[in-house]
Amino acid sequence: MGPRMRRQFDVTHTSLAHWHAALCRAYAFSSCRCPPRLVFNGDSHLRSFGTLFVGQVAASTSNADDVVLDRRNAHILSDKRDEYTIFFVSRGRMAFEQMGRQATVLAGQFILADHGRPWRFAMSGDYAAATMVIPRALLDARFEDIRRALVQPITADTGLGRIVCAYLSGMADLTAMTEIAGREVLASSALDVIATTFEQHVGAMGNLSAQESKLRMVKQYLRRNLDNPDLSVTVISDEQGVTPRTLNRLFARDGTTPIKWLWEQRLRASHCALLESRVQNVTQAAFEFGFSDVSHFSRAFKKAFGVSPREVLYRGC
């Protein structure tokens, strides 16, 4: 089930089993456990918004015991959707575990979940959260090190955090009002702000070594200059004030080279632009991201993604 073919619905349930089944269809497969004789009421809303899906999840239980959702490897293997979900808690709290990290997310905070990794999600009492489902390719193309941002609550009282929360809480209300072209533009803008917010949050955590910090700076420079077809190891080294040898050593830490990494980022960015309909044709997708030969670009694109650029542009593959 591809992200653009995905379900859209509004449901209200007094049955926890039916509510959980709706969440599985909407977001990600999981198992559910709860206390016996639980009195439950819940609802879920989901709507497409350009390349994204936005909605809300809410639940109310009769006691303070947790309703727990577990996503295990077996669920991941049987679930073809490859996505992230952002939860912005507007009421109550949620406990979330992933990659050995644990966090309690309070009202006014949001958190990123990766559906490609096992997780555990628990809620109790009266809970509500705005949600945004993001295809992996679209967020990865904007922030390569997104793994560092997982299970890291961000509050709405920060500068960019406030903007992200406005997107998360407001976009669901716009799904019936905004023209399709407008949705694409807003979705793309939202993703840019979200990726920047996570990147700044990771940078502020202060747990990067000197080499990691330098590598991050070089990568930021390259992302800003993907459209420059003349980038080379020499040019990059001169611009970043390091020797070519040091530059190659920095990227060797990630098991790659500067030019290979740059090539991969150009392909990711062009794939993202095609998916989001930010380019009008394949030639524009090639030239805007530093490719000077359209035929070469098309062959490399199909090798990387298994489909041609034209298929992505016109069929949303």
Side-chain angles (χ1 to χ4, degrees):
M1 191 184 324
R4 291 198 178 186
M5 298 170 60
R6 180 114 72 140
R7 61 287 140 187
Q8 301 184 57
F9 60 87
D10 298 271
V11 296
T12 300
H13 288 296
T14 55
S15 163
L16 176 60
H18 291 165
W19 177 81
H20 174 244
L23 291 189
C24 289
R25 293 195 304 272
Y27 296 95
F29 297 161
S30 66
S31 60
C32 178
R33 54 188 173 84
C34 65
R37 297 181 297 280
L38 181 74
V39 178
F40 175 88
N41 186 63
D43 60 68
S44 177
H45 313 283
L46 194 69
R47 288 287 182 270
S48 66
F49 199 101
T51 52
L52 310 175
F53 284 82
V54 294
Q56 180 173 345
V57 174
S60 179
T61 61
S62 57
N63 54 40
D65 292 327
D66 287 341
V67 173
V68 179
L69 306 182
D70 275 309
R71 182 166 170 84
R72 303 188 179 98
N73 285 321
H75 297 121
I76 295 170
L77 291 173
S78 62
D79 196 341
K80 303 303 181 184
R81 296 164 291 189
D82 193 17
E83 298 160 333
Y84 300 101
T85 293
I86 298 176
F87 296 91
F88 170 47
V89 178
S90 57
R91 188 172 71 241
R93 65 171 180 83
M94 64 177 281
F96 192 76
E97 299 178 28
Q98 188 167 52
M99 295 175 56
R101 304 172 188 168
Q102 300 179 356
T104 298
V105 190
L106 305 176
Q109 295 182 319
F110 63 92
I111 196 167
L112 180 69
D114 181 355
H115 295 315
R117 304 171 187 268
W119 49 247
R120 173 169 293 174
F121 167 80
M123 69 195 86
S124 60
D126 195 20
Y127 166 86
T131 60
M132 178 183 288
V133 180
I134 307 172
R136 181 179 303 278
L138 301 186
L139 192 53
D140 285 355
R142 288 170 164 85
F143 182 26
E144 181 195 32
D145 204 12
I146 197 68
R147 181 182 60 83
R148 289 180 179 267
L150 298 173
V151 203
Q152 300 289 342
I154 300 176
T155 62
D157 58 5
T158 61
L160 285 174
R162 189 177 300 112
I163 299 174
V164 171
C165 292
Y167 272 118
L168 291 171
S169 59
M171 286 175 72
D173 296 331
L174 296 174
T175 54
M177 302 166 53
T178 309
E179 295 297 327
I180 291 176
R183 295 179 198 172
E184 297 283 355
V185 172
L186 281 173
S188 181
S189 298
L191 284 171
D192 289 339
V193 173
I194 288 166
T196 302
T197 301
F198 284 130
E199 187 168 13
Q200 289 193 358
H201 183 73
V202 168
M205 289 163 60
N207 57 356
L208 300 178
S209 67
Q211 291 82 6
E212 288 173 328
S213 295
K214 185 61 181 178
L215 179 59
R216 183 167 173 246
M217 291 175 59
V218 174
K219 288 179 175 179
Q220 288 174 338
Y221 163 76
L222 292 177
R223 287 198 192 93
R224 291 194 302 267
N225 292 276
L226 292 179
D227 60 336
N228 183 357
D230 298 322
L231 288 176
S232 64
V233 170
T234 300
V235 170
I236 300 167
S237 299
D238 289 345
E239 287 290 334
Q240 294 300 299
V242 297
T243 66
R245 184 178 182 184
T246 298
L247 183 68
N248 282 311
R249 283 180 171 176
L250 287 174
F251 280 88
R253 295 169 58 91
D254 286 352
T256 188
T257 68
I259 300 306
K260 181 180 178 183
W261 186 89
L262 174 62
W263 184 266
E264 291 171 346
Q265 296 309 303
R266 284 173 166 160
L267 288 172
R268 281 186 176 186
S270 62
H271 182 257
C272 185
L274 288 162
L275 270 178
E276 296 177 3
S277 301
R278 288 189 281 113
V279 292
Q280 297 181 346
N281 52 58
V282 173
T283 299
Q284 184 183 0
F287 290 168
E288 283 199 2
F289 297 100
F291 296 96
S292 55
D293 185 321
V294 177
S295 296
H296 191 195
F297 162 70
S298 295
R299 288 194 297 271
F301 189 99
K302 187 165 186 178
K303 182 178 180 181
F305 301 109
V307 292
S308 70
R310 185 175 297 274
E311 288 176 289
V312 175
L313 180 62
Y314 293 111
R315 288 163 40 187
C317 298

